[in-house]
């Protein structure tokens, strides 16, 4: 393979990786390209597990399942500890080689090229390894190529870690803001979290795809974010609201939508719709727009059931909690009136799991 061929392949890899949203798929592609570019039989990506002090296979050609071994063992272990490239010409004659892996995988290793994975903080967090070059042994050009590709691996993993961290932080902010909006006190209740988990359960059983289920689990807790704009004297009134107070309370749906609607984030777009529509009723007599049946977003219809069930079975400043039995009877009575009947059936068919969630996250 000429240098021009390699350059074209690298450009193609770069284009594919830039469009890839799945970390696992991206790493598999990088590993496959590495294997082909340096003419190796297999390549693997090992990551460091700090809790067990082991290296484990994130990606490994020809291996089913996961391989783990002490981080100070084998050629990969030497690369990890030394943070330096390791080249082995004859594995079974080299003291660095760990024969146990071949025994486990029933594979014959001849030569090895192992490159440490270094992050932007100059910390080694894994090893990129190739084994059994088809023609000859691994050379300096192969080392350069693997070192170059290792930067792609490091970048992909760091980006994924950052995204996960941001998603976690965003979820925490969402739950705190939603709880504060509901009770003006983030520590008062776990209502919003339970609503998210109830909706996740309904959505899975209904057949929404995995992405929608994940988004709904995080978006549903924001259903009452608009209550942050409602005066405490109304929100925390220890009794029934009068006509004017109730009309003012109803404004929280539009307020929530207005808070969330301008964001380009698909998660917040879903949350905005839920905030606006979760008090609509299946029979068309809800608010704020009097939507009917499937005019109401499926996400809002799910959230409506989860919200009402949890609100009724929880203590509020103005009421004692209802029993689950009494609440179930109300859900049955309101099938195809307040609530989507099909979704009520799904909810009640999974009542045991609903109870477990409520018990696990009780106030």
């Amino acid at each position: 393979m000429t240098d021009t061929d390699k350059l074209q392949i690298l450009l193609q890899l770069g284009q594919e990786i830039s469009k890839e949203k799945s970390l696992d798929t991206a790493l598999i592609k990088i590993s496959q390209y590495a294997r082909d570019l340096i003419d190796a039989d297999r390549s693997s990506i090992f990551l460091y597990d700090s809790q067990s002090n082991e290296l484990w296979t994130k990606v490994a050609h020809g291996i089913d399942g996961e391989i783990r071994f002490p981080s100070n063992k084998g050629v990969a272990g030497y690369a990890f500890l030394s943070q330096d490239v390791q080249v082995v010409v004859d594995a079974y004659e080299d003291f660095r080689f760990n024969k146990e892996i071949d025994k486990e995988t029933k594979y014959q290793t001849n030569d090895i090229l192992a490159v440490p994975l270094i992050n932007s903080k100059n910390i080694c967090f894994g090893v990129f390894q190739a084994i059994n070059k088809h023609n000859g042994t691994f050379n300096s050009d192969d080392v350069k190529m693997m070192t170059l590709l290792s930067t792609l691996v490091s970048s992909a993993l760091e980006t994924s870690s950052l995204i996960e961290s941001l998603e976690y932080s965003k979820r925490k902010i969402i739950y705190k803001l939603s709880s504060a909006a509901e009770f003006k006190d983030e520590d008062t209740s776990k209502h919003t979290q339970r609503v998210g988990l109830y909706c996740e359960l309904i959505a899975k059983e209904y057949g929404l795809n995995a992405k929608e289920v994940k988004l709904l689990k995080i978006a549903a807790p924001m259903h009452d974010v608009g209550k942050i704009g409602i005066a405490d004297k109304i929100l925390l009134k220890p009794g029934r609201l009068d006509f004017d107070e109730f009309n003012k309370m109803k404004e929280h749906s539009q307020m929530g939508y207005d808070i969330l609607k301008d964001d380009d984030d698909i998660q917040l777009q879903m949350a905005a719709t839920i905030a606006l529509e979760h008090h609509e009723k299946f029979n068309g007599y809800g608010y704020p727009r009097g939507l009917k049946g499937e005019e109401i977003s499926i996400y809002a219809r799910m959230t409506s059931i989860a919200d009402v069930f949890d609100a009724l079975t929880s203590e509020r400043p103005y009421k004692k909690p209802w029993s689950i039995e009494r609440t179930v009877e109300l859900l049955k009575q309101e099938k195809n009136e307040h609530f989507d009947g099909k979704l009520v059936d799904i909810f009640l068919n999974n009542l045991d799991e609903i109870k477990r969630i409520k018990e696990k996250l009780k106030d």
Side-chain angles (χ1 to χ4, degrees), residues 22-84:
S22 165
L23 172 64
D24 288 346
T25 303
L27 295 179
I28 289 171
K29 284 184 177 180
I30 296 171
S31 186
Q32 289 172 339
Y33 272 83
R35 178 189 61 191
D36 296 340
L37 282 165
I38 65 173
D39 196 27
D41 187 53
R42 295 181 176 184
S43 67
S44 304
I45 296 172
F46 298 97
L47 299 183
Y48 178 60
D49 183 340
S50 59
Q51 292 187 337
S52 63
N53 194 28
E54 294 176 316
L55 291 170
W56 63 279
T57 49
K58 177 69 173 175
V59 177
H61 290 133
I63 302 297
D64 292 326
E66 181 182 288
I67 293 177
R68 285 179 170 267
F69 53 88
S71 64
N72 63 350
K73 197 167 185 179
V75 179
Y78 271 88
F80 175 75
L81 292 178
S82 67
Q83 298 191 27
D84 199 6

Side-chain angles (χ1 to χ4, degrees), residues 314-326:
S314 301
E315 187 169 357
R316 290 289 186 268
Y318 50 86
K319 74 169 188 68
K320 295 295 182 180
W322 284 24
S323 69
I324 288 180
E325 292 72 21
R326 181 184 177 189

Side-chain angles (χ1 to χ4, degrees), residues 1-11 37 141 145:
M1 186 182 299
T2 67
D3 289 344
T4 300
D5 291 334
K6 291 181 180 181
L7 178 59
Q8 290 177 339
I9 292 173
L10 285 171
L11 289 173
L37 282 165
D141 288 339
M145 182 60 69

Side-chain angles (χ1 to χ4, degrees), residues 206 208 273 277 280-285 289-302 336-343 346:
Y206 181 79
L208 294 187
T273 299
E277 298 181 3
E280 300 287 0
K281 293 185 178 181
F282 204 70
N283 60 14
Y285 289 98
R289 295 186 292 169
L291 299 180
K292 184 176 183 180
E294 294 186 3
E295 294 175 350
I296 308 166
S297 161
I298 184 65
Y299 313 124
R301 281 181 271 151
M302 292 177 178
N336 298 317
E337 293 296 328
H338 189 151
F339 310 111
D340 183 331
K342 293 180 181 178
L343 298 181
I346 290 173

